């Protein structure tokens, strides 16, 4: 089965690296590659599973033939439910089952190679520091709000105005500036910077699932309202300045499909 690891990770660090690779692959399938994933999950086919691979790729495939399988198997038959519910709900359901499968694989390696209590605690502590696939797919929002805007930091006003208001927040058409430069140019004190960073600390990239950092360029999709690293969707700050309404790869594909 191609969904199994090409090697057996034996240390906590190796199992964690295996987990992150498989997780990254699944996130790609359910975000930037969702249209391809959707098409592959044909309800007319046999029972299909979504596999995340250690090399950060993904595949939709039949389950392992041997029983029991070499590794725990993902949720079986995800394709059968594809047309029986809303696409967003179906994707969320696959995400939840994928989270359970990722933990099962990590626990399998830990048990197989005799991780003791401290090793297991360290491994799952590292895993728990990452947002779940479900959180990435659905967009985890901060509990704080500012100026009546939603906690994910999406600007309701003109993006260029927003850029002038707060250079440390992710914006649609501007790049975050270093904190030192902000203090020199705008007189923003350290306490205000920390408060603003806290507002968006739970904002996650819709492509890679990593958290927001104030020294990175981010762009927001005007359709699904998810934030993305510019590098993940291949948008530079210069290019973003000329984009009035940005559509992420997933929303762009949906638009093309519905118009064809």
């Amino acid at each position: 089965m191609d969904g199994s690891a090409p090697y057996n990770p034996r240390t906590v660090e190796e199992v964690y690296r295996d987990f992150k690779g498989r997780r990254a692959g699944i996130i790609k399938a359910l975000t930037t590659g969702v249209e391809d994933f959707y098409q592959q999950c044909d309800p007319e086919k046999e029972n299909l599973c979504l596999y995340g691979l250690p090399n950060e790729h993904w595949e939709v495939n039949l389950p392992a033939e041997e029983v029991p399988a070499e590794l725990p198997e993902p949720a079986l038959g995800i394709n059968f439910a594809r047309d029986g519910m809303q696409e967003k709900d179906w994707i969320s359901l696959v995400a939840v089952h994928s989270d359970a499968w990722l933990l099962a694989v990590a626990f399998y390696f830990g048990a197989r190679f005799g991780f003791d209590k401290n090793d297991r605690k360290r491994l799952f502590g590292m895993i728990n520091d990452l947002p779940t696939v479900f959180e990435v797919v659905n967009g985890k929002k901060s509990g704080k709000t500012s100026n009546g805007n939603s906690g994910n930091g999406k600007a309701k006003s003109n993006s260029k105005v927003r850029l002038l208001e707060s250079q440390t927040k992710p914006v649609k058409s501007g790049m975050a500036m270093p904190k030192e430069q902000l203090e020199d140019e705008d007189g923003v004190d350290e306490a205000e910077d920390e408060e603003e960073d806290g507002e968006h600390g739970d904002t996650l990239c819709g492509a890679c699932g990593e958290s927001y950092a104030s020294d990175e360029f981010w762009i927001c999709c005007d359709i699904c309202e998810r934030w993305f690293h510019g590098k993940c969707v291949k948008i530079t700050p210069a290019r973003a300045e000329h984009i009035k309404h940005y559509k992420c790869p997933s929303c762009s594909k949906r638009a093309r499909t519905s118009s064809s």
Side-chain angles (χ1 to χ4, degrees):
M1 168 58 63
D2 292 335
S4 61
Y7 66 97
N8 286 324
R10 295 175 178 272
T11 68
V12 170
E13 288 73 21
E14 287 175 343
V15 173
Y16 177 65
R17 188 161 56 248
D18 180 90
F19 175 90
K20 284 190 68 178
R22 294 176 188 276
R23 172 182 170 275
I26 289 175
I27 288 174
K28 289 177 182 177
L30 301 182
T31 55
T32 55
V34 69
E35 290 301 319
D36 186 21
F37 170 66
Y38 188 88
Q39 294 300 322
Q40 290 191 38
C41 291
D42 187 348
E44 297 299 321
K45 296 182 179 180
E46 298 182 56
N47 290 291
L48 294 175
C49 301
L50 171 61
Y51 293 90
L53 308 180
N55 61 1
E56 300 188 4
H57 289 91
W58 60 273
E59 66 177 12
V60 172
N61 212 331
L62 296 171
E65 294 183 1
E66 64 271 16
V67 179
E70 181 182 356
L71 292 177
E73 287 288 287
L76 180 66
I78 56 174
N79 51 312
F80 295 148
R82 191 195 72 176
D83 295 341
M85 56 197 308
Q86 293 292 326
E87 180 179 343
K88 182 179 180 181
D89 294 335
W90 177 68
I91 293 295
S92 294
L93 183 63
V94 174
V96 169
H97 280 289
S98 296
D99 280 318
W101 175 69
L102 289 170
L103 287 174
V105 173
F107 195 92
Y108 166 85
F109 283 129
R112 177 177 178 181
F113 296 111
F115 287 5
D116 61 20
K117 178 180 178 180
N118 291 331
D119 285 339
R120 293 194 303 271
K121 183 177 181 179
R122 185 157 63 94
L123 171 62
F124 289 104
M126 295 163 68
I127 290 174
N128 201 43
D129 284 338
L130 296 172
T132 64
V133 175
F134 178 83
E135 288 173 329
V136 173
V137 169
N138 289 279
K140 182 180 177 183
K141 296 183 178 180
S142 169
K144 294 185 178 181
T145 58
S146 176
N147 298 326
N149 293 335
S150 61
N152 65 354
K154 179 169 178 67
K156 301 299 182 183
S157 58
N158 180 276
S159 58
K160 291 185 178 180
V161 174
R162 184 71 174 186
L163 176 60
L164 294 174
E165 290 174 354
S166 176
Q167 292 280 9
T168 60
K169 298 178 184 178
V171 293
K172 289 186 180 179
S173 59
M175 182 168 56
M177 298 171 63
K179 188 178 295 184
E180 293 79 6
Q181 186 175 348
L182 287 170
E183 291 172 349
D184 292 340
E185 296 183 1
D186 301 323
V188 179
D189 61 33
E190 187 172 338
E192 290 176 343
D193 282 343
E194 290 177 356
E195 182 179 351
E196 288 175 348
D197 286 343
E199 278 190 45
H200 302 287
D202 287 337
T203 302
L204 306 176
C205 175
C208 70
E210 297 300 321
S211 300
Y212 163 68
S214 61
D215 59 349
E216 295 176 311
F217 169 67
W218 283 53
I219 190 166
C220 182
C221 175
D222 284 293
I223 305 302
C224 65
E225 300 194 357
R226 286 187 297 173
W227 289 96
F228 298 85
H229 288 110
K231 61 184 179 182
C232 289
V233 291
K234 300 180 180 179
I235 299 292
T236 64
R239 183 181 174 189
E241 288 291 344
H242 301 284
I243 299 176
K244 293 183 178 180
H245 300 285
Y246 174 68
K247 291 182 181 179
C248 69
S250 296
C251 291
S252 295
K253 289 181 180 179
R254 288 195 185 95
R256 289 195 297 268
T257 301
S258 61
S259 61
S260 61

